[in-house]
Amino acid sequence: MKTLYRPALLFLPLLSLFVLHPFQTTIAQQGSLSPTPTYDPLVEPLLPENSTEFELGRNLYWHWCMTCHGDRGQGLNDEFRGIWEPEHQNCWGRGCHAGRQGDKGFPIPTVVPALVSETHLVQFASVKDLSDFLKATHPPQSPGILKDEEYHAIAIFVFAMNDRSLITATHVVTAVLMLTETHVSSVKKTTSSYFVPIGVIFILAVVPAIVFFLIRRGFVR
């Protein structure tokens, strides 16, 4: 019997390494975070095939509104213009939107107001009010060019940027705007990760010591 226990003592530590290895690997992997994608306001937001009004409004805002009102509704300030190529940063320069003959775009005012502020667009009582205003005035170069549902979708998106509740005829919807495209670092998971019970660790660590003690004392032969 003594000759049988000694190989067992050598085998048990090896077995413990086999059992604990996936657990240790999981802990190491939990410390490795996936990279966080960089937010780029110049990249067109994705428009799913079955998009919601909010997703449609976000995409339309990027196409029709962002260049003047900013990616976060901050207006045409110095910080926002700084993201453009140097030759496009002076919106009122010759050849751009100054209103001179030969300029590439329609004239724009010197100050383009922010859409997101502490007032939260209180002048518009509902999404429909904002939608009707946009249809009558925007885009400045061609008001009313979009469809009614498109103006409504843009109004929903702008209301969401201002933390305004979106009220429809049948229910209330609160949309949350993810300006940073919400990309949070996540912990990598592995199929080999599992919890090792304390009892297993105890058995693998203590039992060999007890067996060894009994052999040395002559209780096991």
Side-chain angles (χ1 to χ4, degrees):
M1 288 295 293
K2 188 174 182 179
T3 58
L4 293 177
Y5 277 108
R6 286 182 175 176
L9 287 174
L10 296 175
F11 175 74
L12 284 174
L14 295 176
L15 178 62
S16 65
L17 292 175
F18 175 77
V19 173
L20 293 176
H21 176 70
F23 179 68
Q24 294 170 341
T25 302
T26 301
I27 295 177
Q29 289 178 340
Q30 287 177 348
S32 176
L33 299 179
S34 59
T36 301
T38 303
Y39 168 63
D40 186 353
L42 300 183
V43 175
E44 179 181 0
L46 295 177
L47 187 61
E49 183 176 354
N50 297 317
S51 59
T52 64
E53 280 193 291
F54 176 83
E55 292 168 333
L56 175 61
R58 178 175 59 185
N59 183 271
L60 290 169
Y61 180 92
W62 185 89
H63 280 282
W64 294 94
C65 316
M66 185 191 75
T67 51
C68 287
H69 290 286
D71 62 314
R72 292 179 171 87
Q74 68 269 47
L76 198 58
N77 57 22
D78 294 341
E79 179 184 1
F80 175 64
R81 288 189 295 111
I83 71 174
W84 299 92
E85 296 294 330
E87 60 268 22
H88 296 295
Q89 291 182 8
N90 184 8
C91 301
W92 304 277
R94 182 69 180 270
C96 193
H97 291 278
R100 300 186 182 94
Q101 184 177 2
D103 287 343
K104 299 178 182 179
F106 58 92
I108 60 175
T110 304
V111 177
V112 177
L115 297 180
V116 178
S117 65
E118 295 179 355
T119 62
H120 302 287
L121 297 180
V122 294
Q123 65 270 37
F124 301 103
S126 66
V127 170
K128 185 179 185 306
D129 286 348
L130 177 57
S131 178
D132 292 342
F133 172 78
L134 293 176
K135 182 178 180 179
T137 59
H138 286 72
Q141 71 274 27
S142 186
I145 192 174
L146 303 179
K147 300 176 181 178
D148 288 350
E149 55 268 27
E150 291 176 325
Y151 281 112
H152 191 266
I154 293 174
I156 283 179
F157 181 74
V158 173
F159 256 44
M161 283 199 294
N162 281 276
D163 296 323
R164 292 280 298 273
S165 295
L166 310 178
I167 303 176
T168 66
T170 57
H171 61 285
V172 177
V173 181
T174 301
V176 178
L177 178 64
M178 302 301 291
L179 286 172
T180 59
E181 294 303 316
T182 98
H183 297 112
V184 180
S185 297
S186 59
V187 176
K188 291 183 179 179
K189 295 183 179 179
T190 174
T191 56
S192 64
S193 62
Y194 56 90
F195 177 74
V196 178
I198 299 299
V200 175
I201 299 176
F202 176 83
I203 292 173
L204 294 176
V206 176
V207 170
I210 295 175
V211 174
F212 181 78
F213 175 82
L214 294 175
I215 293 174
R216 291 295 300 270
R217 292 294 181 178
F219 293 107
V220 178
R221 298 181 183 277

